[in-house]
Amino acid sequence: KAGVTQTPRYLIKTRGQQVTLSCSPISGHRSVSWYQQTPGQGLQFLFEYFSETQRNKGNFPGRFSGRQFSNSRSEMNVSTLELGDSALYLCASSLGGGEDTQYFGPGTRLTVL
Amino acid sequence: QQQVKQSPQSLIVQKGGISIINCAYENTAFDYFPWYQQFPGKGPALLIAIRPDVSEKKEGRFTISFNKSAKQFSLHIMDSQPGDSATYFCAASLPNTGNQFYFGTGTSLTVIP
């Protein structure tokens, strides 16, 4: 079974631009979560989508948004990029949430110049 | 505000030794505590998890010890091997919050042959 895939793997953007990251979950998984990973803060929860609906949201500004499609694929968008948005963005999928095992993708490394 | 505090930040252990990583939390409503292992260039992978009604859980060389009264839990890696060299994250979640996990800041473990 294919794992969680994220595209692109690397991105370089400049301040003020916007970016869209994509995540394809494991087949059959309906929950997709997004995390921001930085050296100082570790992994911080952004949001979770389940069956095309945002189920949970972390404490991030409105510049961070996401969506999920009917095939469970998810996208995350960051508008008006700031230097502090440079991070590894991880996507994780699971069957339905809660104590279902989350499977993480390799992440998208975003660098904001 | 870090909901889950993890220590140490880095750890060096001789092959065959015991690696111990500690986490502490404040929110007594947390009811699920997983540990994740992350290798360079990869997303985190679930290692072992525990609920607060159990004081210890063992899976192979990995053991979680849970102290509810102290609001602390720890990961013990017995007979540490060079292949265990990775970054380890503890996490916690609240009931009925899907896959919204609060992660510690990570411990970089190096096992010296």
Side-chain angles (χ1 to χ4, degrees), chain B residues 25 35 49 51 54 62-63 73 91 97 99-100 105:
Chain B
Y25 63 97
W35 283 90
R51 293 180 64 87
V54 175
F62 301 90
T63 300
F73 59 110
T97 57
N99 282 321
Q100 183 171 4
T105 50

Side-chain angles (χ1 to χ4, degrees), chain B:
Chain B
Q1 181 185 353
Q2 201 70 31
Q3 296 254 14
V4 179
K5 296 182 180 178
Q6 184 172 347
S7 63
Q9 186 174 354
S10 62
L11 182 61
I12 300 174
V13 172
Q14 292 277 356
K15 178 183 175 181
I18 302 173
S19 303
I20 301 175
I21 304 170
N22 301 299
C23 284
Y25 63 97
E26 286 300 320
N27 192 339
T28 56
F30 285 138
D31 73 340
Y32 183 64
F33 301 88
W35 283 90
Y36 285 82
Q37 179 189 57
Q38 185 178 27
F39 293 103
K42 304 285 186 181
L46 179 65
L47 196 58
I48 187 173
I50 198 168
R51 293 180 64 87
D53 54 350
V54 175
S55 62
E56 185 175 282
K57 184 173 181 180
K58 184 176 180 179
E59 289 185 3
R61 296 184 294 107
F62 301 90
T63 300
I64 299 179
S65 296
F66 192 88
N67 186 330
K68 191 174 181 178
S69 61
K71 294 184 287 186
Q72 295 176 348
F73 59 110
S74 60
L75 176 68
H76 296 235
I77 306 174
M78 312 300 287
D79 186 26
S80 298
Q81 299 296 314
D84 297 330
S85 297
T87 300
Y88 292 82
F89 293 93
C90 60
S93 68
L94 295 165
N96 304 314
T97 57
N99 282 321
Q100 183 171 4
F101 287 89
Y102 297 89
F103 280 82
T105 50
T107 296
S108 176
L109 171 65
T110 301
V111 181
I112 300 172

Side-chain angles (χ1 to χ4, degrees), chain A residues 8 42 60 78 80 88-89 92:
Chain A
F60 277 81
V78 187
T80 319
L88 181 68
Y89 290 88

